[in-house]
């Protein structure tokens, strides 16, 4: 069924009769459908987050149930052909990168947040399912890239993109010791991607938008998902232990920077350099 939907969504046959407001509304509808379809992993995973009781299911703790659900979703997407083995490699890297960050952030000397519930699959205080929250972001970008036939104009030189991604990731660790350079890195990313635009196809015609705007928008929706997750007690920040409160808006910038890093990984591990234009001097 989903493969049939994808075939329909990827049909770029010209719709010459669509003009004016009917074209705008149709393209907007198809864009929304493609975005929703790209969120398949995200939607199913977070549905499990909301539906699995805190006490768990069938004698298994909640965190362990969420791990099994995430593995089942990932396996089903691979088996059905909705994701390829190359895409799975990228998603596994997101999982590893995210899990390493989680271990550091919940460690005894840092304690940026915590996972309060018991689980058999906790390692260094972090449940293994947590890496899938980062993998979900990668899965969304991978699916969006395919369904919207994304191409990038004026992509910065690869070594610069990789360097800024590594520095962004490192800052999540080092800001606890040598200061937070987030805004300096954001300024560097702003300069690096200032001319970069993403070309995408909602229906049958190419449209474009600044890539930086895409980073910010995806970061915003991750911030919203984080608020929902902490409200349901999946994890908690220190200021939420007594009573829940909105996650500080500064986390939006952190997530937007994380999207920059995730985008760089997708661009390289999906082997899509042929569809990226690197501006020549």
């Amino acid at each position: 069924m989903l493969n049939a939907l994808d075939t329909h969504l990827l049909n770029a046959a010209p719709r010459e009769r669509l003009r004016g407001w009917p074209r705008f509304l149709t393209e907007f509808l198809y864009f929304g459908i493609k975005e929703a379809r790209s969120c398949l992993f995200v939607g199913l995973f977070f549905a499990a987050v909301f539906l699995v009781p805190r006490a768990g299911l069938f004698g298994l703790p909640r965190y362990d149930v969420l791990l099994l659900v995430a593995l089942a979703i990932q396996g089903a997407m691979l088996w059905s052909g909705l994701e390829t083995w190359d895409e799975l490699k990228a998603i596994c890297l997101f999982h590893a990168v995210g899990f390493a960050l989680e271990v550091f952030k919940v460690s005894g000397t840092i304690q940026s947040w915590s996972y309060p519930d018991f689980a058999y699959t906790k390692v260094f205080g972090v449940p293994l399912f947590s890496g899938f929250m980062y993998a979900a972001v990668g899965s969304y970008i991978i699916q969006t890239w395919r369904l919207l036939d994304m191409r990038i104009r004026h992509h910065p030189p690869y070594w610069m993109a990789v360097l800024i991604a590594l520095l962004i990731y490192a800052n999540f660790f080092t800001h606890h010791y040598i200061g937070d350079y987030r805004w300096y890195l954001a300024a560097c990313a702003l300069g690096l991607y200032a001319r970069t635009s993403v070309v995408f196809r909602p229906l049958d015609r190419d449209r474009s938008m600044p890539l930086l705007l895409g980073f910010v928008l995806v970061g915003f929706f991750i911030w919203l998902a984080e608020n929902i997750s902490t409200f349901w007690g999946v994890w908690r920040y220190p200021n939420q232990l007594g009573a829940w409160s909105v996650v500080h808006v500064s986390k939006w910038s952190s997530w937007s920077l994380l999207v920059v890093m995730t985008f760089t990984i997708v661009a390289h591990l999906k082997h899509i350099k042929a569809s990226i234009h690197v501006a020549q001097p």
Side-chain angles (χ1 to χ4, degrees), residues 7-142:
T7 300
H8 174 73
L9 293 177
L10 290 169
N11 180 14
R15 275 82 162 178
E16 299 296 343
R17 295 182 178 180
L18 280 177
R19 297 177 183 176
W21 277 103
R23 168 165 286 278
F24 172 80
L25 293 174
T26 303
E27 288 199 15
F28 186 78
L29 174 63
Y30 269 79
F31 177 79
I33 294 173
K34 288 184 177 184
E35 284 288 304
R37 163 62 185 83
S38 299
C39 290
L40 178 63
F41 186 98
V42 179
L44 292 175
F45 181 70
F46 277 95
V49 169
F50 305 144
L51 294 176
V52 174
R54 186 163 188 174
L57 288 173
F58 310 112
L60 277 179
R62 173 171 60 163
Y63 295 159
D64 298 329
V65 174
L66 292 176
L67 174 62
L68 293 176
V69 169
L71 288 171
I73 297 169
Q74 191 65 75
M77 293 183 71
L78 185 64
W79 174 79
S80 63
L82 297 176
E83 285 180 349
T84 67
W85 282 103
D86 281 340
E87 292 167 346
L88 180 63
K89 294 174 187 176
I91 289 170
C92 288
L93 181 56
F94 299 136
H95 191 290
V97 166
F99 185 77
L101 181 61
E102 291 284 324
V103 169
F104 176 78
K105 290 292 188 178
V106 304
S107 61
T109 56
I110 304 300
Q111 295 185 335
S112 295
W113 56 78
S114 63
Y115 291 90
D117 298 342
F118 169 79
Y120 295 107
T121 55
K122 263 189 176 180
V123 179
F124 301 114
V126 179
L128 291 178
F129 89 88
S130 65
F132 281 101
M133 294 187 289
Y134 298 84
V137 179
S139 177
Y140 162 76
I141 294 178
I142 286 170

Side-chain angles (χ1 to χ4, degrees), residues 11-269:
N11 180 14
R15 275 82 162 178
E16 299 296 343
R17 295 182 178 180
L18 280 177
R19 297 177 183 176
W21 277 103
R23 168 165 286 278
F24 172 80
L25 293 174
T26 303
E27 288 199 15
F28 186 78
L29 174 63
Y30 269 79
F31 177 79
I33 294 173
K34 288 184 177 184
E35 284 288 304
R37 163 62 185 83
S38 299
C39 290
L40 178 63
F41 186 98
V42 179
L44 292 175
F45 181 70
F46 277 95
V49 169
F50 305 144
L51 294 176
V52 174
R54 186 163 188 174
L57 288 173
F58 310 112
L60 277 179
R62 173 171 60 163
Y63 295 159
D64 298 329
V65 174
L66 292 176
L67 174 62
L68 293 176
V69 169
L71 288 171
I73 297 169
Q74 191 65 75
M77 293 183 71
L78 185 64
W79 174 79
S80 63
L82 297 176
E83 285 180 349
T84 67
W85 282 103
D86 281 340
E87 292 167 346
L88 180 63
K89 294 174 187 176
I91 289 170
C92 288
L93 181 56
F94 299 136
H95 191 290
V97 166
F99 185 77
L101 181 61
E102 291 284 324
V103 169
F104 176 78
K105 290 292 188 178
V106 304
S107 61
T109 56
I110 304 300
Q111 295 185 335
S112 295
W113 56 78
S114 63
Y115 291 90
D117 298 342
F118 169 79
Y120 295 107
T121 55
K122 263 189 176 180
V123 179
F124 301 114
V126 179
L128 291 178
F129 89 88
S130 65
F132 281 101
M133 294 187 289
Y134 298 84
V137 179
S139 177
Y140 162 76
I141 294 178
I142 286 170
Q143 294 294 323
T144 302
W145 205 303
R146 180 173 65 89
L147 291 171
L148 288 172
D149 190 23
M150 285 172 49
R151 285 139 287 151
I152 308 300
R153 288 178 179 162
H154 303 296
H155 190 278
Y158 296 119
W159 72 268
M160 290 186 180
V162 171
L163 178 61
I164 195 67
L166 291 173
L167 291 175
I168 288 170
Y169 185 62
N171 186 70
F172 286 119
F173 296 86
T174 59
H175 81 85
H176 293 282
Y177 306 107
I178 61 173
D180 189 357
Y181 294 95
R182 178 191 324 173
W183 297 112
Y184 297 99
L185 293 171
C188 290
L190 180 64
L192 195 63
Y193 290 98
R195 296 179 62 237
T196 307
S197 60
V198 55
V199 179
F200 59 98
R201 187 177 297 140
L203 185 59
D204 61 333
R205 295 182 182 178
D206 287 346
R207 306 297 180 188
S208 66
M209 65 179 287
L211 183 58
L212 286 170
L213 177 59
F215 292 154
V216 172
L217 289 175
V218 176
F220 173 73
F221 284 107
I222 297 174
W223 177 75
L224 287 181
E226 184 179 35
N227 274 282
I228 296 171
S229 298
T230 55
F231 179 80
W232 284 87
V234 179
W235 73 88
R236 290 285 174 85
Y237 288 98
N239 66 309
Q240 296 175 323
L241 294 179
W244 182 82
S245 60
V246 174
V247 177
H248 197 277
V249 72
S250 65
K251 292 292 182 181
W252 180 2
S253 62
S254 297
W255 285 117
S256 296
L257 288 173
L258 185 73
V259 174
V260 175
M261 185 187 75
T262 305
F263 171 85
T264 303
I265 295 174
V266 172
H268 285 73
L269 295 191

